[in-house]
Amino acid sequence: MPVLITVAVALLALVCGAGTSWLPLLVVGPALAAATSGPWGVVRIGALAMALGAALGFRGGEPGGQQAILLATVAAVTLAGALAGALRRRRERVLADVRSVAEAAQHAVLKPVPETIGPFQAAVRYSAAAAEARIGGDFYALVPTPFGVRLIVGDVRGKGLPAVGVAAVVLAVFREAAYDEPDLLDVVHRIERSLARDLGPDDFVTAVLAGYPEADRMELINCGHAAPLLVRDADVLPVEPVRPAPPLGLRALAGEPPTVQDVLLADGDQLLFHTDGVTEARDHAREFYPLAERLARHVTKEPSGTLAALHEDLLRHVGGQLHDDAAMLLLRKPDRARDATNGPGPATGARPRAAGPTPAP
C-alpha cells in the first residue's frame, strides 16, 4: 500500500502537469510505511519517494530551492517513520512475550478439558471480557479422582488481576482437595478455609461443585451460583438447590452450611454448568440471553458442537462483544444403544421448562 500510494501521487503529478504542487503528498508513503513495515522498509519507501520527487521536479524545471525543501521534507518524514517503525517492532516483540506468558498462565490455571472423562463426554467454552485476555474471574475444573469425576464452575466477584488471583487459589485448592477428600462437603470446607486467608472483606466467590461417586448419581453443592441446566428427554430443567447456601467466603455472615443434593442421571442426560456472564448477557434492547431456550434449540449429542453453537448464538445476541466473563461446561452421559442406532445427530424435541420438580430422588 505505501508503494502504491507513492506511485499514485507521482503519476498524478505527472498527468496533471502542475509542477511540484502535488509532490508534497509523497510523504504519505513513508508515513504509512511506519505503521506497517520495519525501519528498513520505511527507508526504502522514503528513498523511492525522494527519487520520484527529484525526477519529477527536474522534469518540470522547478527551482532548486523548492526541490530541496521537498526532498528535505520527505527525508525528515522518512527518518521519523523509521524510528517509529523500530519502536513499534520492539513493542510488538514485548507484546508477543506477554501473550506467551498469558497463554502459559491460562493453561496452568484453566487446564483443557478432555473430550471424555470417566463415563461422560465433556466440553468447555470460556470467554474473557477483557480485550486480548485469555482468563478472567470465571473459572472451571474437571478432574478424575479416586472418588469419581469431580468438577467446579464458579465466578469471582470483580474483574481483572485480583479476580484471576482468587480464581487461581480456588482451583489450586479444589484440585488438591478433590483427590484427598472422600466427602464432597469436605472439599468445600477446604476451599472456605483457604479463602478466609486470601479474600478481602467485601469479596466472595459463587460456585457449584459436582461429583459422580457412583453410577447414575450426581452430587451437587451450590454455593450461591447459577443453577445448572439438566437436559433430559424433551425437557431442559434448571437444577435449583433445595437448600441454597451462601457464596464461598460469606458463610460466616450467613451461618448456613452447604448441603449435598443428589441428581439422578440417566443415559443420554446432559448437564450444563455456566456462569452469570452467559445468562446476564444483554442485547441492544437490554434483554437477557435466554439460555434454557437456546440450549433446547442447539442441543446435540456432541457437547463440543452444542457449546460451539451456543457460543456463536451468545455473541450474536450481544452484538459480538461480551461485557463479562462467561464460562460453560457441558457433561453428557452417553446412551450407547440409542447413539449407535441414531448416530451423532442432534437431540430432538428438547424444550425449556421454567419450573418443575427438582430431579432428585
Side-chain angles (χ1 to χ4, degrees), residues 204-232:
F204 59 87
V205 179
T206 68
V208 57
L209 290 83
Y212 193 71
E214 59 188 45
D216 302 332
R217 184 172 67 90
M218 176 74 78
E219 294 180 341
L220 293 180
I221 301 177
N222 194 323
C223 299
H225 197 72
L229 296 177
L230 175 66
V231 180
R232 169 172 294 165

Side-chain angles (χ1 to χ4, degrees), residues 176-198:
E176 180 181 359
Y179 280 95
D180 295 341
E181 303 291 349
D183 193 333
L184 193 61
L185 277 173
D186 291 332
V187 178
V188 177
H189 298 332
R190 291 264 296 263
I191 296 174
E192 280 278 5
R193 289 195 297 270
S194 179
L195 288 178
R197 299 188 297 269
D198 294 290

Side-chain angles (χ1 to χ4, degrees), residues 63-80:
Q66 291 187 11
Q67 291 191 45
I69 293 174
L70 169 65
L71 297 179
T73 301
V74 175
V77 173
T78 299
L79 291 176

Side-chain angles (χ1 to χ4, degrees), residues 276-290 313-324:
D276 59 9
V278 179
T279 53
E280 295 181 2
R282 296 174 182 260
D283 61 10
H284 296 300
R286 308 299 294 170
E287 296 291 334
F288 290 114
Y289 182 69
D313 190 60
L314 176 63
L315 291 181
R316 285 194 299 269
H317 181 81
V318 299
Q321 178 62 48
L322 290 171
H323 299 288
D324 194 6

Side-chain angles (χ1 to χ4, degrees), residues 23-45:
L23 295 184
L25 291 178
L26 288 172
V27 300
V28 175
L32 180 60
T36 59
S37 306
W40 290 112
V42 177
V43 170
R44 286 192 290 268
I45 299 297

